[in-house]
Amino acid sequence: MLTKRIIPCLDIKDGRTVKGVNFINIRDAGDPVELGAEYARQGADELVFLDISATNEERKTLADLVRDIARHINIPFTVGGGITSVGDVAPLLEAGADKVSVNSSAVKNPALIDELSKAFGSQCIVLAIDARKMENQWIVHTHGGKKPSDKKLFSWAKEGQERGAGEILFTSMDHDGTKMGFANDPLEKLHNSLSIPVIASGGAGEMGHFIDAFLIGKADAALAASIFHFGEIKIPELKQYLHRRNINVRM
Amino acid sequence: MRVAIIKYNAGNIQSVSFALERLGVDFSITEDSEEIQRAEKVIFPGVGEASTTMNYLKSRNLDRIIVSLRQPVLGICLGMQLMCKYSEENNTECLGVFPEEVKRFLPLRDMKVPHMGWNNLLLKDGWLDPAINCLYAYFVHSYYVPVNPFTSAVTEYINPFSAALHHKNFYAVQFHPEKSAVAGELVLKSFLNL
């Protein structure tokens, strides 16, 4: 049976992980390669590396970093951040990334999704959507969630699917950082209106939240950052917990 | 041991080569027919679309080279599908190493296509290390090979399908051993130890 996926997300700036990570057995807590390899050993099903570098100057070594990650990690991983063209993606996939994610640049230029999926196949194009509920509407935001756009979550996700995205990574900005649980209502609505997998993101605080995201939100995968980085939830324990509650996970 | 990875427009060549590197295997990435024929083992990777890939192989005569190989050959993902006789993906005539047809998954209830993620392998007798039985491997595919007499592992998604095949010196897996953690390494070792 196909399993639900657990995905740690690492923010990268200048080739280094941004948020602190407190794995005791890691020598260099800022090294994305070492951290990624540790997560793979712990049983993470996939990894997401998000380059939050502000400028292209800072970002130009990303392909080298991706190559280094691919060399050492034996599970699939996605790379995102600052991708605006087919030309940005080719070196990342050639370096060994399995998927790339697009966010603000796709909102600004939706045809980018068509171009990327035609060039590389839908299976490696993840449409990341940051959204917040405003006046009863889920409004898509860009630039790391700072700028509201004219797009609404559900219609934008559907458009993304039609344009060739292979997966939707939905982050609820209302839930992100709260540790109060994932945005299960919009997740379920996304599941019901789409035929591509949905990754839940934002709000994980305890293990039960993952059960809710999978059973209520019907998510195919769940992504989290700080709770994994700070060891508040350990992946092997989370997997055991889900397994005991009859959620199908890779053990 | 010298392993040749067939060089063509497949998406996962870098990842396959890194996986071999992690296992400490001596390999080369090549489209040179003599180098491929001389290798002790050959890996035929694959990510992409069937018809354009077959045309690419034909344009470089790699289609004839692959079917003529006598040493163990491992097809991965699209590589496995192209080793079959025919694929429904753009009605493509393939290499015919396995006399089987590749079919498209028909979506069922809320089961999405492509089949993407980790799914478990149920081994039949054959070339794969028995320790792999029931382990999970990473799949990404919209087309599948039905269970047939050459099936050496079965996975179920929408319907049971061939996760691995074997016929004569040809071996193949639908999943990505290069991305399947410890299970994937066991699969590659099973092939390399043949």
Side-chain angles (χ1 to χ4, degrees):
Chain A
M1 237 174 100
L2 188 64
T3 62
K4 300 289 189 182
R5 290 171 280 153
I6 302 294
I7 308 176
C9 176
L10 293 156
D11 287 349
I12 309 288
K13 192 165 188 288
D14 259 336
R16 306 276 297 166
T17 48
V18 178
K19 292 171 190 159
V21 178
N22 71 346
F23 290 150
I24 42 171
N25 48 348
I26 288 277
R27 281 177 290 131
D28 178 358
D31 180 359
V33 178
E34 227 183 309
L35 281 175
E38 175 59 20
Y39 276 127
R41 273 193 294 276
Q42 289 184 10
D45 297 304
E46 275 182 52
L47 297 168
V48 171
F49 294 91
L50 203 55
D51 190 357
I52 59 167
S53 300
T55 64
N56 288 329
E57 184 59 26
E58 288 176 344
R59 198 174 288 122
K60 68 177 184 218
T61 57
L62 185 58
D64 293 336
L65 176 63
V66 167
R67 190 175 307 276
D68 212 16
I69 293 168
R71 192 181 291 273
H72 292 97
I73 292 178
N74 59 9
I75 58 171
F77 68 96
T78 301
V79 178
I83 289 163
T84 57
S85 68
V86 166
D88 290 336
V89 172
L92 300 176
L93 295 179
E94 281 162 19
D98 299 275
K99 311 176 198 178
V100 295
S101 72
V102 290
N103 192 330
S104 304
S105 57
V107 172
K108 194 174 159 196
N109 170 27
L112 176 64
I113 304 169
D114 306 68
E115 290 164 19
L116 295 179
S117 65
K118 280 202 188 77
F120 307 108
S122 290
Q123 82 288 342
C124 62
I125 308 303
V126 180
L127 176 61
I129 306 179
D130 298 333
R132 157 172 295 166
K133 204 170 188 182
M134 301 166 86
E135 290 167 7
N136 233 13
Q137 296 258 37
W138 282 90
I139 305 295
V140 176
H141 284 58
T142 61
H143 299 83
K146 290 189 203 69
K147 283 167 71 173
S149 75
D150 58 355
K151 300 214 181 300
K152 314 277 194 300
L153 169 63
F154 302 108
S155 54
W156 176 228
K158 187 96 183 158
E159 183 181 340
Q161 171 181 299
E162 279 156 13
R163 288 181 180 275
E167 236 173 346
I168 300 290
L169 165 55
F170 163 52
T171 303
S172 164
M173 295 156 54
D174 293 334
H175 295 71
D176 202 20
T178 64
K179 300 193 177 179
M180 300 288 280
F182 292 94
N184 298 314
D185 292 346
L187 278 169
E188 192 201 2
K189 201 167 162 188
L190 284 172
H191 168 84
N192 289 335
S193 61
L194 298 174
S195 59
I196 55 177
V198 178
I199 306 168
S201 160
E206 52 189 73
M207 294 198 280
H209 293 155
F210 288 84
I211 300 256
D212 295 342
F214 294 138
L215 293 184
I216 303 170
K218 311 270 175 67
D220 297 279
L223 176 144
S226 58
I227 54 154
F228 293 142
H229 302 335
F230 295 116
E232 292 164 41
I233 293 180
K234 293 180 180 68
I235 290 172
E237 286 166 24
L238 174 61
K239 288 245 176 131
Q240 282 290 345
Y241 175 89
L242 294 170
H243 175 69
R244 281 199 303 270
R245 282 156 186 81
N246 295 320
I247 306 282
N248 197 27
V249 288
R250 178 175 69 108
M251 299 301 288
Chain B
M1 173 175 26
R2 189 84 178 151
V3 176
I5 300 175
I6 297 177
K7 181 182 177 181
Y8 72 109
N9 59 340
N12 62 338
I13 285 184
Q14 184 67 271
S15 303
V16 170
S17 66
F18 284 149
L20 293 184
E21 201 179 287
R22 287 193 293 270
L23 293 174
V25 175
D26 185 20
F27 66 91
S28 61
I29 302 168
T30 179
E31 56 180 355
D32 179 76
S33 60
E34 282 181 29
E35 196 175 350
I36 293 169
Q37 280 156 348
R38 265 203 319 269
E40 286 174 55
K41 299 243 161 66
V42 175
I43 295 184
F44 177 36
V47 167
E49 187 275 325
S51 65
T52 44
T53 307
M54 270 310 294
N55 286 336
Y56 184 97
L57 293 173
K58 282 180 190 163
S59 73
R60 282 164 173 73
N61 210 26
L62 287 167
D63 56 333
R64 292 188 182 188
I65 293 167
I66 293 168
V67 298
S68 71
L69 293 173
R70 293 279 172 263
Q71 66 274 59
V73 179
L74 177 68
I76 297 176
C77 196
L78 180 66
M80 161 165 148
Q81 298 186 357
L82 294 181
M83 284 157 81
C84 292
K85 191 176 64 184
Y86 166 84
S87 173
E88 284 185 359
E89 187 172 21
N90 293 317
N91 297 319
T92 305
E93 295 296 330
C94 302
L95 299 170
V97 169
F98 303 109
E100 302 299 323
E101 295 196 350
V102 184
K103 298 189 175 300
R104 186 176 168 80
F105 277 124
L106 299 173
L108 179 72
R109 296 192 304 275
D110 59 352
M111 301 178 92
K112 295 159 182 174
V113 175
H115 171 224
M116 178 164 66
W118 296 83
N119 207 332
N120 49 353
L121 307 172
L122 298 174
L123 300 194
K124 300 174 76 175
D125 287 343
W127 61 283
L128 290 161
D129 182 339
I132 294 162
N133 194 30
C134 294
L135 292 184
Y136 289 86
Y138 186 76
F139 291 84
V140 184
H141 60 126
S142 299
Y143 293 80
Y144 70 97
V145 179
V147 175
N148 64 71
F150 305 102
T151 302
S152 31
V154 176
T155 293
E156 185 151 354
Y157 187 71
I158 298 181
N159 43 256
F161 67 87
S162 296
L165 297 172
H166 170 221
H167 182 42
K168 296 184 207 163
N169 59 318
F170 293 94
Y171 302 80
V173 290
Q174 178 59 68
F175 51 89
H176 288 279
E178 73 278 15
K179 290 286 174 175
S180 294
V182 176
E185 287 165 13
L186 289 172
V187 170
L188 289 174
K189 281 181 190 163
S190 298
F191 172 72
L192 296 168
N193 291 336
L194 285 168

